[in-house]
Amino acid sequence: PDIDGDQVTVVVMYRAPKVKHLISMWHQNCVKPTDDKFYEWITTTHNTLGPMDSLGMVDMFLNETNWNVALVNLEGLKEHDWDVSNFVACKILGEECKNKVLKDLHGSEPIVTNVRSGKRSPNVPNETLVEIDVILNQFDCNYKHILKGDNPRLKLFYPEGLRERYDSCLKVEDEYPKSRTAMIEQMKAIAIKGGKLW
């Protein structure tokens, strides 16, 4: 069932830790062993990292359409043993389910796709990844109005981690990157400062 009436409901997934999402994007963009290593990719990329900006997507849908938005925190799904497709079918579309599985599919295992084997590790120190994750999380402070969750067209699923993000945004005041371009520049500077491992 829709959040408010019989209109479109857009489902947006919020993925964290954000740095793992960034590494996943690197893997998607640099699949061959001869492609850029992480350091080379992050310091030269022209990728705008739009797919990582889930809160930006939510903001756009709420401001530019009359659609409802379901924002799903993927950390919460994992913690509560949900398969993403079953969660959407059961909780958002309101289909009949049993034990967190769509009734018509009960007893069958979910089909897992888009998973690569033999992934390369980032060639930067762990400290660099931690600092990049901080910048990625701080960028979400641009959308603290969404994280409050007080828009009637927005439904938050497993909002605990999102509420923690909102609380941390209140602590950093205006000390966060105001655009994706600024965020990317800060990540490049962090990577250059930390250097590459190989």
Side-chain angles (χ1 to χ4, degrees):
D2 282 330
I3 298 166
D4 181 26
D6 293 326
Q7 62 190 29
V8 171
T9 296
V10 177
V11 179
V12 177
M13 300 292 174
Y14 184 90
R15 186 171 168 184
K18 304 287 271 185
V19 74
K20 284 189 176 182
H21 194 180
L22 179 68
I23 292 167
S24 176
M25 286 188 68
W26 163 59
H27 285 142
Q28 290 171 5
N29 284 274
C30 301
V31 293
K32 296 181 282 211
T34 55
D35 285 341
D36 283 345
K37 293 179 175 81
F38 182 82
Y39 176 87
E40 289 73 17
W41 178 74
I42 198 63
T43 57
T44 62
T45 189
H46 297 290
N47 191 315
T48 64
L49 307 181
M52 291 189 64
D53 192 5
S54 52
L55 296 179
M57 287 183 236
V58 170
D59 194 48
M60 180 195 68
F61 288 127
L62 292 175
N63 288 309
E64 297 179 19
T65 73
N66 65 347
W67 299 340
N68 295 313
V69 179
L71 177 59
V72 182
N73 180 3
L74 286 174
E75 284 178 305
L77 285 190
K78 288 179 187 174
E79 287 172 13
H80 290 86
D81 298 320
W82 275 101
D83 167 71
V84 173
S85 55
N86 282 316
F87 179 84
V88 170
C90 301
K91 293 295 186 181
I92 296 173
L93 297 176
E95 295 296 324
E96 190 176 343
C97 296
K98 179 181 174 188
N99 298 326
K100 298 182 179 179
V101 177
L102 191 60
K103 187 177 178 204
D104 294 342
L105 297 177
H106 206 273
S108 61
E109 290 296 314
I111 299 170
V112 178
T113 60
N114 195 24
V115 176
R116 291 184 174 85
S117 60
K119 295 180 195 168
R120 300 179 291 165
S121 297
N123 62 334
V124 296
N126 281 337
E127 298 80 24
T128 297
L129 296 176
V130 169
E131 287 183 49
I132 287 174
D133 196 50
V134 168
I135 294 299
L136 291 167
N137 287 316
Q138 287 178 348
F139 176 73
D140 284 348
C141 294
N142 286 293
Y143 308 106
K144 56 186 167 222
H145 58 283
I146 291 171
L147 295 173
K148 281 172 52 176
D150 57 4
N151 187 313
R153 290 181 23 236
L154 173 65
K155 179 148 187 190
L156 302 175
F157 290 91
Y158 299 109
E160 301 80 23
L162 297 171
R163 298 233 196 277
E164 289 170 17
R165 290 237 170 3
Y166 175 74
D167 291 342
S168 68
C169 287
L170 297 177
K171 295 174 187 166
V172 296
E173 297 176 7
D174 282 343
E175 303 286 322
Y176 53 86
K178 303 295 189 275
S179 68
R180 278 201 307 257
T181 302
M183 175 188 71
I184 291 166
E185 289 305 313
Q186 286 185 19
M187 289 191 305
K188 286 180 183 180
I190 289 167
I192 291 167
K193 179 185 80 174
K196 58 182 174 178
L197 297 177
W198 58 84

